[in-house]
Amino acid sequence: MSTTSAMQVPFVDLQAQHQAIRAEIDEAIAAVISKGDFILGKAVSLFEEEFAAFCEAKYAIGVDSGTSALELLLRAYEIGPGDEVITTANTFIATALGVSSVGAKPVLVDIDPVTYNMDVSKVEQAITERTKAILPVHLYGQPADMDPIIELARKHNLYVMEDAAQAHGARYKGKRVGSLADGGAFSFYPAKNLGACGDGGAVVTNDPEIADRLMLLRNYGQRKKYYHESIGYNHRLDTMQAGILRIKLRNLSAWNEARRRHAQRYNELFANTDVVYPVEMDGVESVWHLYVVRVEEREALQKYLSEQGISTGIHYPVPIHVQEAYKSLGYPEGSFPITEQYAPQIVSLPMFAELTDEAIQYVVEHILAFVEQRAVTSR
C-alpha cells in the first residue's frame, strides 16, 4: 500500500457539514428571530412531525437533550424509586444517568463480543421482581438485536425502551430504530448523525397516551400556561435548534449513506490484517455514527496517529460499573469480562459524511504501519 503525503484528518468535521447548508441554516435562524417564537415555536411542532415520519412512528416529542429524552421516557412509563432497568455496561454514562435521574437502579449486562451491543443471552438472568424495563443501546449506530429482547420482555411483562442516541435512521429488519418497542430516545448533540448547533433530543413513540404525558412532562406539566396538571420539568427543545434540525433532517439519509460507504471502505482496507474492525450484523443497517476498531497499545497508536495529523476518540474508556459515580452499584471489576477486555483496546477512527476516500486510505495506512512496526519489534 503506497504512502500518501501528510494531511490533517479530523475525527469529525462539523464545519464541512455546515458549509454546504450554511445559507439554509442562516435562513432558519433568521426566521425564528423574526417571528420571536423562541420557546415551543412553530419550528418545534414541524420538526416533531417530520422526525416522527422519518422514524416511521406516530409521535416525536422534542426535548432539550438525549439525557432528558431517556429520563422523560422512563417517567412517562412511571418508572421510579425501587425499580430496576436493565441496560448495557458499554455505553455513554447518559444511559445510566437517565435511569438514575428517575430514582431507579441501572442493572448492567455484558456486551456481545462481535457487535459490542447488549448480549441478549445475559439479560434474563439479570431480571428480578423489581425489573420494570430493558433499555438496549444501539451503540455506534448499529441496532441491538431487538426481536429476542422484545420477546423476553413480553415473557416477563417488561417495557422495552431504545437508547437510539447514536442511531438516527438505522434499520432493524427493515424498520427504523426508535419505533421498534415502547419508545425511543434520541440525542441531537452536535456531533451526532443528526446534530443540532447545541443540545437537543427527542422521544419517539407510537402510544398516544405516552406522547401526551411526554408533552406535559417536558413543559412544567402544563397544556395551558400557568395551569399545571402534573409535576413537570423544563426540558423543552429550543425553537432555533428545531429550525436547524429541520434543515439537517432533509440531508440525513444522504449523510448516512455516505457513512455506510466510508465504513465499507475501511472494512475493505482492514481485511486480512491484525486490526479487529467492526462487523454489521445480519438484518440491520447501521448508520455508523462511530467506526470503532480494536488494537493493542491503543495509547501509543493514538499518539502516533496524532503526530500524523489524524484525530481519534475512545468510546468508551471506562465502563459504567468502574466509574466512580456508579461504584455504589456494587459490581466488582471482572463482572463484565468482554466490556472490560475491550475498554483498553477500542479506538474510534475519523467518521463523518464528508470524509474522503483519500483520508480513509491515509488513516488505514498509518494504522497498519504502526501495527506492523510493533509486530516486528516484538519478534
Side-chain angles (χ1 to χ4, degrees), residues 212-281:
D212 189 61
R213 289 181 196 171
L214 286 163
M215 285 187 281
L216 286 172
L217 285 167
R218 74 167 177 190
N219 189 30
Y220 299 112
Q222 64 183 1
R223 297 178 204 278
K224 182 180 178 182
K225 195 170 184 179
Y226 303 131
Y227 292 82
H228 306 273
E229 299 178 25
S230 64
I231 300 296
Y233 308 87
N234 181 11
H235 287 316
R236 303 168 297 204
L237 177 63
D238 180 81
T239 305
M240 200 168 293
Q241 298 301 340
I244 294 167
L245 287 165
R246 292 189 69 210
I247 302 301
K248 291 193 171 187
L249 182 58
R250 297 167 195 164
N251 296 275
L252 181 56
S253 292
W255 290 341
N256 283 344
E257 282 303 312
R259 287 173 179 266
R260 288 182 58 77
R261 290 194 298 272
H262 300 334
Q264 179 60 35
R265 183 58 179 154
Y266 269 128
N267 286 356
E268 290 170 356
L269 294 173
F270 280 128
N272 302 313
T273 73
D274 291 333
V275 176
V276 182
Y277 58 91
V279 175
E280 185 178 62
M281 65 182 280

Side-chain angles (χ1 to χ4, degrees), residues 140-141 165-167 191-193 259 286-291 351:
Y140 307 150
Q166 300 181 2
K192 302 297 187 187
N193 292 37
R259 287 173 179 266
S286 173
V287 291
W288 298 100
H289 172 60
L290 296 170
Y291 185 91
M351 173 57 80

Side-chain angles (χ1 to χ4, degrees), residues 6 16 23 40 42 48 53 60 71 86 95 100 116 132 141 235 246 268 309 340-341 345 347 370:
L40 292 182
K42 184 62 175 177
E48 289 172 335
E71 174 189 345
I86 298 172
T95 307
S100 298
Y116 305 2
K132 292 296 175 64
H235 287 316
R246 292 189 69 210
E268 290 170 356
E340 293 173 38
Q341 177 189 343
Q345 299 174 349
V347 57
F370 174 89

Side-chain angles (χ1 to χ4, degrees), residues 78-359:
E78 300 181 339
I79 293 173
D83 296 333
E84 295 178 350
V85 177
I86 298 172
T87 191
T88 174
N90 181 33
T91 182
F92 181 51
I93 199 170
T95 307
L97 292 177
V99 177
S100 298
S101 65
V102 303
K105 177 184 177 182
V107 173
L108 307 179
V109 297
D110 210 350
I111 58 172
D112 181 277
V114 176
T115 67
Y116 305 2
N117 276 323
M118 174 182 282
D119 185 340
V120 180
S121 70
K122 307 292 187 185
V123 175
E124 189 159 29
Q125 64 195 48
I127 295 173
T128 73
E129 60 183 13
R130 294 187 180 90
T131 306
K132 292 296 175 64
I134 305 172
L135 178 59
V137 180
H138 303 311
L139 195 69
Y140 307 150
Q142 173 159 221
D145 194 4
M146 293 297 293
D147 279 356
I149 292 172
I150 292 171
E151 182 180 351
L152 190 60
R154 287 174 178 162
K155 175 182 174 182
H156 292 275
N157 195 29
L158 306 174
Y159 298 118
V160 177
M161 300 165 186
E162 304 169 66
D163 183 340
Q166 300 181 2
H168 315 70
R171 289 189 181 275
Y172 176 83
K173 298 186 177 179
K175 298 179 180 179
R176 282 261 166 86
V177 302
S179 61
L180 300 171
D182 294 300
F186 289 86
S187 167
F188 302 132
Y189 182 77
K192 302 297 187 187
N193 292 37
L194 178 61
C197 292
D199 274 321
V203 182
V204 168
T205 182
N206 289 311
D207 188 321
E209 291 186 11
I210 295 300
D212 189 61
R213 289 181 196 171
L214 286 163
M215 285 187 281
L216 286 172
L217 285 167
R218 74 167 177 190
N219 189 30
Y220 299 112
Q222 64 183 1
R223 297 178 204 278
K224 182 180 178 182
K225 195 170 184 179
Y226 303 131
Y227 292 82
H228 306 273
E229 299 178 25
S230 64
I231 300 296
Y233 308 87
N234 181 11
H235 287 316
R236 303 168 297 204
L237 177 63
D238 180 81
T239 305
M240 200 168 293
Q241 298 301 340
I244 294 167
L245 287 165
R246 292 189 69 210
I247 302 301
K248 291 193 171 187
L249 182 58
R250 297 167 195 164
N251 296 275
L252 181 56
S253 292
W255 290 341
N256 283 344
E257 282 303 312
R259 287 173 179 266
R260 288 182 58 77
R261 290 194 298 272
H262 300 334
Q264 179 60 35
R265 183 58 179 154
Y266 269 128
N267 286 356
E268 290 170 356
L269 294 173
F270 280 128
N272 302 313
T273 73
D274 291 333
V275 176
V276 182
Y277 58 91
V279 175
E280 185 178 62
M281 65 182 280
D282 292 338
V284 310
E285 285 185 17
S286 173
V287 291
W288 298 100
H289 172 60
L290 296 170
Y291 185 91
V292 179
V293 300
R294 291 192 359 251
V295 294
E296 301 295 335
E297 301 185 80
R298 178 184 63 202
E299 284 71 22
L301 171 64
Q302 286 189 289
K303 182 176 183 295
Y304 170 75
L305 293 178
S306 179
E307 292 167 352
Q308 314 310 314
I310 300 167
S311 297
T312 57
I314 305 174
H315 300 85
Y316 297 94
V318 184
I320 298 295
H321 67 292
V322 183
Q323 297 281 357
E324 188 65 31
Y326 279 110
K327 290 290 183 67
S328 61
L329 293 179
Y331 294 113
E333 291 192 36
S335 297
F336 308 108
I338 304 301
T339 296
E340 293 173 38
Q341 177 189 343
Y342 288 4
Q345 299 174 349
I346 52 180
V347 57
S348 303
L349 305 186
M351 173 57 80
F352 49 94
E354 297 78 14
L355 193 64
T356 65
D357 189 74
E358 180 186 15

Side-chain angles (χ1 to χ4, degrees), residues 2-22:
S2 62
T3 302
T4 55
S5 58
M7 62 191 302
Q8 296 293 314
V9 186
F11 179 63
V12 64
D13 190 348
L14 295 179
Q15 290 181 332
Q17 180 189 85
H18 291 156
Q19 188 60 36
I21 54 174
R22 179 66 180 269

